[in-house]
Amino acid sequence: MTSFLAAAIVAATPLLFATVGELIMEKSGSLNLGVEGMMLMGAIAGFVGAAGSQNAGVALLSAFAAGAGGALIFAFLTVTLRANQVVTGLTLTIFGTGVTKFIGNAYMGQSVPGPVRAFFAKTAVPGLSDIPFIGDVFFKQDIFIYIGYAVVALATVFLFKTRGGLNLRAVGENASAADATGINVAFVRYMACVVGGGLCGLGGGYLGIVYVPMWQVDVVNGRGWIAVALVIFSAWNPIKAFAGSLLFGALAILGFTLQLMEVSISQYLVDMFPYIAAIVVVIISTHRNMKEDLPPMNLSVPYFREDR
Amino acid sequence: MKFTPAITQRTGLSTRQSVTYRAIAILLSVVGTGLVLMLFGLNPVRVFGAIIEGSMGTPIRIHQMINSAIPLVISTLGIIVAFKMKFWNIGGEGQIVMGAFGAAFVAYRLPDLPQPLLLLLMAVAAAAAGALWALIPAAFKAKMGTNETIFTLMMNYIAILFVTFLQYGPWKDPARAGFPRMPDFSPNAVLPNLFGNNIGWVIAMILTAFVYVFLSRTKKGYEITVVGESPETARYAGMNIPAIIIVAMAVSGGLCGLVGMIQASAIEKTLTATISAGYGFTAIITAWLARLNAIVALFVCVVFAMLVQGAAFIQLSLGVPAAVAGVVQGTILLFILGSEFFIQFKVRLPERRRRTV
């Protein structure tokens, strides 16, 4: 059981980064459906960064920068040029898939260099890893996963306990009111996209650098879309996003575990579980009507000062 | 750095002006794509030249290009019907796969029926299966307002895994020991050719006319447009919005299902899990580029089919990965999306730029 949960956390990490990233963007009013594309770009950038520099830090930065760059395209088109968010997001996914396939072609079958892999080897956290059960599940992981915990904590504190987070939420709820109080709406949305997109890039980076031993084109495989569903599931709360990612991480490795237990069910049918679960999540979350669980009021609404 | 240009909504743009601006936008997107290609270390002139040569250079290449335009045109029609209603159907892939499954189901059960009857039954089964796959998310959207974007997308993965399951399990051809492939269709289940291309091109032309008329000349088509433009107006006018969503998505999914039938019957001559080949996604780009106009879509799809065929040729002749087609398509659409702004709004730079940090 502990080993199953520990493996679920590994499978949950890419989802966690992407979900928190998308959540930050949505909180500012940007419904960016390009998560899959940003994750793909982060995956290939992380991989190329690792292969080129043999340095884990460079790999992480490249993954972040690629995701942030993708999100900047989105922000420029939707905030400055007021393009339709849904179509722009979809296009970003198509663009990201193309770029990743194109660049990744040369790296097919290559593996992540040793020094980077060594950096992301499992490292127990002194003290915390001695806690029975919890230590084994949460604190005998790799550094990338610990960064994920930190991101959840930082995002929660930032969004709900700081002035910057308040401004960001204000822009997402009611952009014209925020503008009237002197908040620079465009600046806030751009920043939310850069940070959120960067986190999506890191989520992809985890897949490209740590999760798969060799580069393959379909590393992301729909996880970006599951992250979009998880944002709804989490009711725009990073801590619930962590719980949701864990749930989906567990579902994702269920097939493998069932095989080990020699349960006879087709692997392909078990692989459907996360996707079916995402549908169930979307259905349930749109059905409940709790006030605090509603999406930001101005989600996917472009802001024109002229319109007032 | 910040400067504030004066931005005002354009009013009363004449058709001619709008066409001129769009032509400029397309030209800009080609130039922009060239720049992106240069960024990747490619010579844009050679790439564009090779694309044209690879898709139009010989009669065989033209036939191949038309063969890949057929599924793209019909999927685009399906997406147009959904997008008109602002129903973001990104489940085209799954609807194509399920359509192919429906066609294969009939082809495997009744292989010896006379060809016209068998093909007709396969088409009906394919359209029904594709429509059903689209109706599941549509019903939830209509009844509960469930977000259709994620729902339709997840249905893609489920459909592909389902057919993969068949391919490796119950429907695997026992004659091919160890090799996971489903049996070939009987000759009667294969679409005939007309002028060197499978008859799908005739179907695509007819469907283009059908969708154009359906959306612009019928009551249902008009209702779909109204629901897309403003659900409040539709409600105020007493339209039955759930029923309209259901009809539109049945048409949308049915069209995508037909794509599955054509690809399975004429191209693969069997069912495979990869039969959709990305058409459901590319159709989103082509539909948007065509501004959701079925006739325009026909031309956009031919250009995109040239890109795809040309890219395969580039891989052979220049040693550049065929994935460059995806980069080109994505870049073109990003540029078009951006230039839409200059059609909708008028930008005047201020006389004096105020710079603040």
Side-chain angles (χ1 to χ4, degrees):
Chain A
M1 191 62 194
T2 37
S3 64
F4 175 74
L5 286 177
I9 290 195
V10 173
T13 298
L15 292 173
L16 177 66
F17 277 98
T19 307
V20 174
E22 173 71 8
L23 190 152
I24 291 173
M25 286 185 269
E26 289 195 16
K27 270 286 181 197
S28 78
S30 294
L31 176 66
N32 185 346
L33 295 181
V35 183
E36 183 87 1
M38 292 182 288
M39 285 182 82
L40 275 162
M41 290 194 270
I44 187 64
F47 187 89
V48 172
S53 70
Q54 318 268 319
N55 181 310
V58 173
L60 285 175
L61 272 180
S62 322
F64 186 91
L72 262 180
I73 299 177
F74 176 86
F76 178 68
L77 287 174
T78 60
V79 178
T80 305
L81 297 183
R82 302 169 191 181
N84 179 302
Q85 290 190 357
V86 173
V87 179
T88 308
L90 291 175
T91 310
L92 183 57
T93 289
I94 291 164
F95 178 74
T97 311
V99 169
T100 305
K101 271 191 190 160
F102 178 71
I103 299 177
N105 208 52
Y107 295 90
M108 201 86 89
Q110 287 190 28
S111 43
V112 177
V116 178
R117 259 188 303 172
F119 184 81
F120 291 119
K122 299 266 184 251
T123 325
V125 179
L128 289 173
S129 59
D130 297 332
I131 307 171
F133 187 67
I134 291 178
D136 287 333
V137 174
F138 290 95
F139 297 109
K140 288 181 181 165
Q141 301 283 9
D142 59 65
I143 292 178
F144 214 136
I145 292 179
Y146 300 141
I147 298 175
Y149 301 159
V151 164
V152 173
L154 286 175
T156 310
V157 171
F158 170 76
L159 281 174
F160 300 110
K161 298 275 179 256
T162 67
R163 169 58 66 95
L166 182 67
N167 287 354
L168 185 145
R169 285 185 292 135
V171 167
E173 292 294 338
N174 190 335
S176 45
D179 189 18
T181 62
I183 300 170
N184 185 338
V185 172
F187 176 77
V188 167
R189 286 195 170 163
Y190 263 94
M191 285 312 289
C193 276
V194 168
V195 174
L199 290 177
C200 292
L202 279 180
Y206 188 78
L207 293 166
I209 305 165
V210 185
Y211 199 76
V212 292
M214 267 183 287
W215 174 253
Q216 55 190 64
V217 171
D218 58 346
V219 273
V220 177
N221 202 16
R223 287 184 180 85
W225 293 102
I226 290 186
V228 176
L230 275 175
V231 175
I232 303 175
F233 172 79
S234 73
W236 293 267
N237 179 328
I239 296 185
K240 286 189 194 162
F242 185 51
S245 307
L246 266 181
L247 181 68
F248 275 76
L251 279 176
I253 58 166
L254 194 63
F256 185 66
T257 313
L258 286 179
Q259 261 183 351
L260 287 182
M261 290 159 64
E262 290 174 18
V263 178
S264 80
I265 172 167
S266 165
Q267 172 204 340
Y268 304 105
L269 297 182
V270 178
D271 284 348
M272 287 180 191
F273 288 173
Y275 305 114
I276 296 173
I279 290 175
V280 173
V281 159
V282 173
I283 294 172
I284 294 175
S285 354
T286 36
H287 201 53
R288 68 181 172 198
N289 281 320
M290 279 176 286
K291 198 159 166 271
E292 66 270 30
D293 285 352
L294 290 176
M297 283 256 290
N298 275 9
L299 184 59
S300 88
V301 180
Y303 175 61
F304 312 129
R305 186 178 271 191
E306 193 195 60
D307 283 357
R308 275 183 308 174
Chain B
M1 190 185 77
K2 185 181 104 177
F3 71 99
T4 36
I7 298 169
T8 45
Q9 189 104 28
R10 279 187 200 278
T11 44
L13 203 61
S14 72
T15 319
R16 189 153 152 232
Q17 274 176 310
S18 137
V19 168
T20 317
Y21 284 132
R22 295 232 153 75
I24 295 172
I26 291 169
L27 202 70
L28 271 178
S29 75
V30 171
V31 174
T33 308
L35 289 176
V36 171
L37 288 175
M38 280 165 76
L39 209 68
F40 285 117
L42 300 169
N43 178 344
V45 178
R46 276 184 75 192
V47 169
F48 287 131
I51 284 174
I52 291 172
E53 200 198 329
S55 58
M56 311 270 276
T58 65
I60 294 174
R61 287 181 194 155
I62 294 178
H63 285 311
Q64 280 174 338
M65 187 269 285
I66 294 175
N67 267 348
S68 64
I70 293 166
L72 192 53
V73 170
I74 304 176
S75 331
T76 306
L77 296 172
I79 298 298
I80 285 177
V81 174
F83 275 28
K84 262 279 177 200
M85 200 172 58
K86 295 220 164 67
F87 185 106
W88 307 112
N89 176 15
I90 43 179
E93 290 282 294
Q95 290 146 22
I96 294 171
V97 168
M98 288 314 281
F101 161 75
F105 185 84
V106 173
Y108 290 147
R109 287 289 177 288
L110 308 160
D112 300 322
L113 278 186
Q115 192 179 24
L117 184 62
L118 178 56
L119 288 173
L120 189 69
L121 278 180
M122 284 167 67
V124 170
L132 179 74
W133 214 243
L135 281 178
I136 299 169
F140 277 96
K141 171 83 175 182
K143 286 280 162 219
M144 294 162 59
T146 308
N147 180 318
E148 76 280 11
T149 322
I150 295 162
F151 205 139
T152 49
L153 194 107
M154 294 297 148
M155 295 295 278
N156 289 343
Y157 293 103
I158 295 171
I160 291 166
L161 282 166
F162 171 64
V163 172
T164 314
F165 161 72
L166 293 177
Q167 188 171 338
Y168 283 81
W171 282 20
K172 196 174 123 187
D173 188 352
R176 295 171 210 259
F179 192 68
R181 192 187 144 93
M182 286 176 268
D184 281 343
F185 288 175
S186 70
N188 280 0
V190 175
L191 278 173
N193 278 8
L194 187 65
F195 305 132
N197 277 105
N198 79 66
I199 202 144
W201 71 267
V202 181
I203 304 174
M205 305 282 256
I206 295 171
L207 289 175
T208 304
F210 163 76
V211 169
Y212 181 78
V213 172
F214 175 67
L215 286 177
S216 61
R217 298 275 183 278
T218 68
K219 182 162 172 272
K220 263 283 165 303
Y222 176 70
E223 287 178 341
I224 288 170
T225 313
V226 175
V227 171
E229 293 295 325
S230 161
E232 289 78 25
T233 310
R235 210 168 289 123
Y236 188 69
M239 292 179 189
N240 183 350
I241 296 180
I244 297 167
I245 293 180
I246 296 290
V247 170
M249 282 311 290
V251 174
S252 176
L255 286 166
C256 289
L258 272 182
V259 174
M261 182 262 179
I262 293 172
Q263 293 306 93
S265 166
I267 308 291
E268 303 285 343
K269 298 175 178 68
T270 181
L271 175 63
T272 73
T274 52
I275 199 131
S276 52
Y279 289 117
F281 289 124
T282 311
I284 296 169
I285 307 186
T286 44
W288 198 257
L289 284 180
R291 298 189 57 77
L292 308 185
N293 179 316
I295 310 275
V296 180
L298 195 63
F299 296 98
V300 174
C301 288
V302 170
V303 173
F304 267 59
M306 286 172 63
L307 275 178
V308 172
Q309 284 301 315
F313 177 75
I314 292 178
Q315 182 146 23
L316 292 173
S317 68
L318 304 181
V320 174
V324 77
V327 178
V328 171
Q329 292 172 353
T331 316
I332 288 179
L333 188 56
L334 286 175
F335 269 90
I336 300 276
L337 279 173
S339 33
E340 191 67 18
F341 172 76
F342 297 96
I343 295 167
Q344 305 261 340
F345 299 96
K346 201 171 187 170
V347 184
R348 258 182 327 129
L349 291 182
E351 318 254 305
R352 212 160 33 105
R353 284 189 187 183
R354 231 165 16 112
R355 282 167 192 264
T356 46
V357 177

